[in-house]
Amino acid sequence: MQLYLKYALSLSLAFLGALVAQWLHLPIPWLLGPLFITALLKINHAPIECHNSARSIGLSIIGLTLGLYFTPEMIHLIASHWLVLLIGLLFALLLGAIGAFILQRWAKIDFKTAWFASATGGANEMSHLAEHYQARVDQVASAHTLRVLMVVVIVPFFYQFMGWHGFDTDQIAKHLEVNWFGFFGLVLISYIASRIFIQFKLPNPWTFGALLVAIFFTAQDIHLSAIPTPIIHLGQVLLGWSLGNKFKPGFFKTAPRYLSIVALCNLGALLLTGLLAYTLMQWTDLPIATLGLGLAPGGVAEMTITAKVLQLGVPIVTAFHVVRMVGVLGTVGYLYLFFDKILQKKIQTQKNRN
């Protein structure tokens, strides 16, 4: 009972953070408010805790919300930009390789830990791969936690400063009415789909299971229900709460050199993202704001939430991150083995010369 009271208090504080952030006119307040207040309290030894299911529920809500944007017209638009999506994937792989080189050289860590700490995939998936290849899981997890935090904070504030918002032309998710029978049907089917994803050990099951269900219906012009606004806010609060909960006491005091170099890598990655977005804008019809969110090395949920709240090409941004997620997870292990083999040959050659 005491543990559940702690969860209830923690969630109440997360909602309080969202209300304060909204009052302060912060970008994506329902995500950033809970993140800030939870992280601040956790770092300062406050007795609060996030339930394990919070992120799963939040991801499912976001997945359903995003899927409602994938009308037949939007799917055609995405298909016409396949080359840009491929460039986004290659860019993500390049960022990971550059980051691994920097971390290995200046943070003084082994190559496999540097590789999985720098790969722009999901934190959970990269941590599991790190464990499989016997890398330092704690360093990999902390690097991804810091990466997501930096991107999800810096990007929305920068966009707010630039005044980038409201570029979407598709309003399907806005003019749909809430049908509670249809809504609960979507929830049930998405839960089944997510359990299937988990059964087959597919990546990001709670997001992708719900996303695919909503896309399946929306792409065929079957509109069961809109997602109620309070439910959308709840999903963002749960994500912010769970992300803030990752920051344990002393997080920034452990391996400060390592985390400092990770932070510099993230800043460099954001600068390169801006340069590529500006370049691609010159020969596509996509706004730089949409390209920036699609190419940003943040989490799928966090970047797509930003796109939704700021109305910046939700389907395209989602497609960028889905392609990146699948592409990175499908190649990062093989690429590690390839580069590690080259590195070992180089080390052996140097030993022979000596």
Side-chain angles (χ1 to χ4, degrees), residues 142-170:
S142 62
H144 285 288
T145 299
L146 183 58
R147 170 177 63 87
V148 172
L149 174 70
M150 290 183 65
V151 175
V152 81
V153 171
I154 292 173
V155 171
F157 276 100
F158 178 74
Y159 274 45
Q160 185 181 59
F161 174 77
M162 296 296 293
W164 290 346
H165 59 85
F167 295 167
D168 274 350
T169 56
D170 182 55

Side-chain angles (χ1 to χ4, degrees), residues 14-26 29 33 37:
F15 271 106
L16 176 62
L19 294 174
V20 172
Q22 192 174 42
W23 179 67
L24 293 174
H25 300 289
L26 299 186
I37 194 168

Side-chain angles (χ1 to χ4, degrees), residues 28 31-32 55 59 62 66 147-157 159 239 243 270 273 289-322 324:
I28 51 173
L31 174 69
L32 290 184
R55 184 165 179 83
L59 290 173
I62 300 306
L66 298 175
R147 170 177 63 87
V148 172
L149 174 70
M150 290 183 65
V151 175
V152 81
V153 171
I154 292 173
V155 171
F157 276 100
Y159 274 45
L239 286 178
L243 181 57
L270 287 173
T273 297
T290 299
L291 287 166
L293 285 179
L295 296 169
V300 178
E302 292 81 12
M303 290 299 94
T304 49
I305 286 173
T306 305
K308 174 178 170 46
V309 174
L310 299 182
Q311 302 170 37
L312 294 173
V314 173
I316 289 291
V317 173
T318 304
F320 265 112
H321 286 279
V322 170
R324 188 198 73 192

Side-chain angles (χ1 to χ4, degrees), residues 52-103:
N52 292 332
S53 64
R55 184 165 179 83
S56 301
I57 297 172
L59 290 173
S60 294
I61 293 171
I62 300 306
L64 282 176
T65 305
L66 298 175
L68 297 183
Y69 284 86
F70 283 77
T71 60
E73 295 79 13
M74 287 297 104
I75 291 177
H76 177 74
L77 175 65
I78 291 169
S80 68
H81 288 90
W82 66 269
L83 182 57
V84 182
L85 298 177
L86 179 60
I87 291 172
L89 170 58
L90 296 175
F91 175 66
L93 294 172
L94 178 62
L95 283 182
I98 293 172
F101 172 78
I102 293 173
L103 287 182

Side-chain angles (χ1 to χ4, degrees), residues 107-269:
K108 307 298 183 183
I109 62 175
D110 60 276
F111 174 70
K112 56 189 172 185
T113 298
W115 180 263
F116 292 109
S118 301
T120 51
N124 290 335
E125 290 80 10
M126 291 303 102
S127 297
H128 290 155
L129 282 172
E131 185 176 15
H132 175 74
Y133 288 102
Q134 299 180 331
R136 286 283 302 275
V137 178
D138 58 336
Q139 291 184 333
V140 171
S142 62
H144 285 288
T145 299
L146 183 58
R147 170 177 63 87
V148 172
L149 174 70
M150 290 183 65
V151 175
V152 81
V153 171
I154 292 173
V155 171
F157 276 100
F158 178 74
Y159 274 45
Q160 185 181 59
F161 174 77
M162 296 296 293
W164 290 346
H165 59 85
F167 295 167
D168 274 350
T169 56
D170 182 55
Q171 303 295 311
I172 182 65
K174 290 184 179 181
H175 69 239
L176 278 180
E177 294 183 356
V178 175
N179 180 311
W180 287 103
F181 181 78
F183 170 70
F184 285 115
L186 278 174
V187 170
L188 177 60
I189 299 171
S190 68
Y191 176 77
I192 294 171
S194 296
R195 297 306 304 184
I196 293 173
F197 267 61
I198 293 172
Q199 180 68 30
F200 288 96
K201 299 181 179 179
L202 298 174
N204 216 332
W206 297 105
T207 302
F208 289 167
L211 178 67
L212 289 178
V213 165
I215 290 176
F216 174 79
F217 287 110
T218 306
Q220 300 182 69
D221 274 332
I222 300 174
H223 306 299
L224 299 180
S225 173
I227 309 301
T229 299
I231 299 295
I232 295 173
H233 289 165
L234 173 64
Q236 295 179 39
V237 168
L238 293 176
L239 286 178
W241 182 30
S242 62
L243 181 57
N245 191 66
K246 293 179 182 292
F247 292 87
K248 309 299 182 185
F251 176 86
F252 293 103
K253 295 179 181 178
T254 56
R257 174 188 173 87
Y258 170 69
L259 290 179
S260 297
I261 295 174
V262 169
L264 290 174
C265 286
N266 291 333
L267 291 175

